[in-house]
Amino acid sequence: MQPVNVSVPEVIDELRAYEPELIVVVAFGQFVTKKIREMPKYGCINIHGSLLPRWRGAAPIQRAIEAGDEKSGITTMKMDAGLDTGDMLLKGETEITPETTGGELHDKLAEIGAELIVRTLREWNDIKPQKQDDSLSCYAAKIDKAESLLDLAVPAAVLERKIRAFNPYPAIYFEHKGERFKILRAAVSEEKVGQGEIVCRGGRLFAGCIDGALEITEIQRQGKKAMSAAELLRGYDF
């Protein structure tokens, strides 16, 4: 079920008609009320995209990459009245490499989550739920559209992580002559570039950050396919 509003009476009546023993919630951005959580015999469980209690909230995948975490994962958990605060059941983890994008991590976690929820149900009677340590938790805030606009007033390494975290969605972008360009991949560079400047040198594209420069290596012109910066610069002049 993917109801627009999970709290309306007709949705609650439909759920009740199933006489559920357990409800599984996946990638569902609504608060599940106590009336629903207490309906199934075994309660509600959630598949959450982080190694709880590390990242609670709406965007754990992107925030983990943005923060420079070296690993992420999936936690199956019991749902309670809080935001991703319920008792943990099982975990599966994966590495975040210096090249991992938000899209790649999402797809990997989807595989882990599918396997983990089946294990959770099969091993239900043998799992000992664990309380979360609230002191180890960070809030993974929902991504605001304003965050996508290229901000060169930050360190190059921080911006590089954010570019990967927001690839492919919503993607970091800048505008030139009224046209939008999405930056999909970049690398910290030793090139000397003034802060706030985007320059072309020798068929390469650089952006000046507060402490150095980034080389933009993969870019997407508005309405076009993603390509290397070198490909773009053969037909476009900034």
Side-chain angles (χ1 to χ4, degrees):
M1 296 175 61
Q2 292 182 306
V4 174
N5 185 345
V6 73
S7 300
V8 296
E10 53 266 34
V11 172
I12 293 174
D13 289 343
E14 183 179 352
L15 280 168
R16 190 176 286 114
Y18 286 120
E19 299 182 355
E21 291 185 304
L22 185 144
I23 291 175
V24 178
V25 180
V26 190
F28 190 64
Q30 297 181 44
F31 179 72
V32 177
T33 63
K34 184 177 180 181
K35 186 178 289 187
I36 295 173
R37 293 197 311 272
E38 294 184 348
M39 188 185 298
K41 178 180 178 181
Y42 299 106
C44 297
I45 57 176
N46 183 32
I47 307 172
H48 183 72
S50 87
L51 295 172
L52 287 171
R54 172 63 173 152
W55 290 106
R56 297 173 179 168
I61 294 172
Q62 291 87 351
R63 300 306 181 192
I65 296 174
E66 191 178 5
D69 289 7
E70 294 182 351
K71 63 181 180 179
S72 180
I74 291 287
T75 306
T76 53
M77 54 172 284
K78 288 189 170 185
M79 296 182 70
D80 62 13
L83 178 66
D84 303 323
T85 56
D87 291 354
M88 301 176 292
L89 300 170
L90 294 180
K91 292 184 181 183
E93 68 177 57
T94 187
E95 180 185 13
I96 299 178
T97 74
E99 289 79 39
T100 302
T101 67
E104 290 165 351
L105 182 55
H106 170 278
D107 292 350
K108 182 62 178 176
L109 294 182
E111 293 177 13
I112 294 171
E115 187 177 302
L116 205 64
I117 188 60
V118 174
R119 271 191 57 208
T120 301
L121 298 177
R122 281 180 177 159
E123 300 172 16
W124 183 262
N125 293 326
D126 300 318
I127 297 172
K128 294 181 180 179
Q130 291 183 301
K131 296 286 184 186
Q132 295 190 42
D133 183 346
D134 294 341
S135 69
L136 300 177
S137 176
C138 300
Y139 178 58
K142 184 178 180 180
I143 294 172
D144 189 289
K145 286 183 179 179
E147 291 184 79
S148 292
L149 182 62
L150 177 65
D151 178 10
L152 293 173
V154 298
V158 171
L159 182 54
E160 186 277 330
R161 292 197 302 266
K162 189 165 188 174
I163 288 168
R164 282 190 291 114
F166 283 35
N167 175 357
Y169 181 83
I172 299 296
Y173 75 92
F174 66 91
E175 293 186 349
H176 183 252
K177 294 182 180 177
E179 190 172 355
R180 180 171 292 196
F181 292 82
K182 292 180 179 180
I183 304 174
L184 301 179
R185 290 184 188 269
V188 176
S189 171
E190 298 296 322
E191 194 79 7
K192 302 300 181 185
V193 181
Q195 187 197 331
E197 295 181 359
I198 295 177
V199 299
C200 311
R201 290 176 185 164
R204 298 161 74 185
L205 190 60
F206 299 93
C209 298
I210 198 167
D211 66 339
L214 275 184
E215 180 177 1
I216 298 169
T217 56
E218 186 177 356
I219 195 165
Q220 185 174 9
R221 189 176 178 181
Q222 192 168 328
K224 306 291 185 181
K225 292 182 179 180
M227 63 183 73
S228 69
E231 286 178 289
L232 175 72
L233 295 178
R234 284 198 287 269
Y236 187 89
D237 184 7
F238 284 101

